[in-house]
Amino acid sequence: MTSVLQNLEHGVMTLTLNRVDKKNALTAHMYAALATALSNAVDEKDVRVVLIQGHETVFSAGNDIADFLQQPPANANSPVSLFLRGIATFPKPLIASVCGPAVGVGTTMLLHCDLVYAGDNAAFSMPFVNLGLCPEAASSLLAVQLMGYQRAAEALLLGEPFLVEVALELGLISRVLPPAEVNAYAQQQAQKMAKKPLASLVETKRLMTSARTPAVLAQMDEEAAVFSRMLKEPAAVEAFSAFMQKRKPVFN
Ligand code: COA
């Protein structure tokens, strides 16, 4: 079964994470599919808005841990790096529809979306410290900007999940809906946006983001270097082994 579904309708390219049995954990193959779709959408004139969605029970469990162990990101051209740069620099509006767990990159990718609609069952978390890792997707910069330092520290240094009420108050999400309605509502909003003049959408987004983009890309590079190093260190090795063996990790 295709793990990333792609559909273009009424100017909206919808990318659906479709690996629900594994909680939409993202493999290198899925990152590559998402990165290619975004890259093609930049110049495809029929694509005016991109919507990323999951299932009404789960958005994404983040990196697929088994896949990550088998093929860790090796360099700036690895699928995960291409995807992260793709969302950080995507020039057209990017919308996300999120229900259920949004873990790791499932939450950090939202920091790059222009609108985020969430089901009332959504739960956000950036548990990198619980995995012996560090933040990615420039979340160490963007979460601080969005939430303020102390709230970001709670999310990134404690790795604690937070629910829609907090996400709404923080400004991470735009609106909360019943899970069964979120994807349809996000699609409706995306189609409404896609009817507006594309040049206005692109210039408006560029003006809103251009000041921060260089810092975002630099932070992503720095995070990626640290993340790659930490992946091989004992804490991450123990966290990942524990996950695979379905036990709690023991950090010395
Ligand atoms: N990587 C690989 N497989 C994953 C995964 C991940 N990140 N997250 C879930 N899965 C797999 C589970 O191993 C399980 O597989 P199995 O049925 O073959 O045993 C299946 O998806 C269902 O997961 P399960 O944990 O039973 O579902 P749940 O509803 O109880 O919990 C989550 C859902 C998302 C809260 C939980 O799966 C979770 O915390 N996952 C790990 C998230 C994580 O640490 N991500 C960060 C990676 S950097």
Side-chain angles (χ1 to χ4, degrees):
M1 200 192 290
T2 316
S3 49
V4 177
L5 305 175
Q6 205 172 315
N7 179 54
L8 175 58
E9 214 176 336
H10 304 299
V12 179
M13 162 84 71
T14 303
L15 300 172
T16 305
L17 308 178
N18 184 41
R19 196 175 173 239
V20 179
D21 59 324
K22 294 290 183 189
K23 304 290 170 187
N24 285 338
L26 293 164
T27 60
H29 173 77
M30 291 168 78
Y31 280 123
L34 290 166
T36 302
L38 285 173
S39 166
N40 292 340
V42 171
D43 294 322
E44 174 52 69
K45 64 176 177 22
D46 292 338
V47 179
R48 303 164 78 85
V49 175
V50 168
L51 168 63
I52 301 179
Q53 64 183 19
H55 186 260
E56 68 182 62
T57 60
V58 63
F59 181 62
S60 174
N63 290 313
D64 183 294
I65 289 175
D67 188 70
F68 223 57
L69 284 174
Q70 276 161 24
Q71 34 187 344
N75 54 47
N77 289 323
S78 63
V80 60
S81 305
L82 293 175
F83 168 68
L84 293 179
R85 272 210 306 284
I87 52 172
T89 58
F90 191 63
K92 299 174 183 176
L94 194 54
I95 300 180
S97 169
V98 182
C99 293
V103 186
V105 72
T107 287
T108 59
M109 75 167 86
L110 306 178
L111 296 164
H112 299 274
C113 293
D114 303 296
L115 293 173
V116 181
Y117 296 110
D120 56 22
N121 62 346
F124 307 88
S125 58
M126 299 182 280
F128 305 109
V129 285
N130 302 334
L131 297 163
L133 295 171
C134 69
E136 35 83 309
S139 55
S140 54
L141 175 73
L142 294 173
V144 173
Q145 285 179 355
L146 181 75
M147 305 175 175
Y149 185 85
Q150 274 76 10
R151 300 291 285 271
E154 211 166 42
L156 287 168
L157 285 175
L158 276 175
E160 289 197 336
F162 51 97
L163 302 178
V164 281
E165 295 76 15
V166 172
L168 195 59
E169 185 210 324
L170 293 171
L172 177 66
I173 60 177
S174 332
R175 190 174 173 145
V176 182
L177 295 130
E181 294 172 21
V182 187
N183 284 356
Y185 184 79
Q187 183 67 233
Q188 178 194 312
Q189 293 296 88
Q191 289 186 15
K192 197 199 284 181
M193 200 180 271
K195 289 200 181 83
K196 301 184 190 296
L198 182 59
S200 287
L201 293 173
V202 168
E203 287 301 339
T204 301
K205 176 164 177 171
R206 188 184 63 76
L207 290 162
M208 289 170 74
T209 57
S210 60
R212 78 175 196 189
T213 302
V216 165
L217 294 175
Q219 192 83 1
M220 263 185 192
D221 286 349
E222 188 177 349
E223 288 173 346
V226 180
F227 195 99
S228 293
R229 171 172 56 73
M230 295 190 85
L231 260 182
K232 300 178 201 113
E233 291 179 357
V237 171
E238 165 59 10
F240 285 5
S241 310
F243 180 82
M244 301 305 292
Q245 294 161 15
K246 296 189 186 291
R247 62 173 173 82
K248 286 210 175 308
V250 181
F251 300 116
N252 293 318

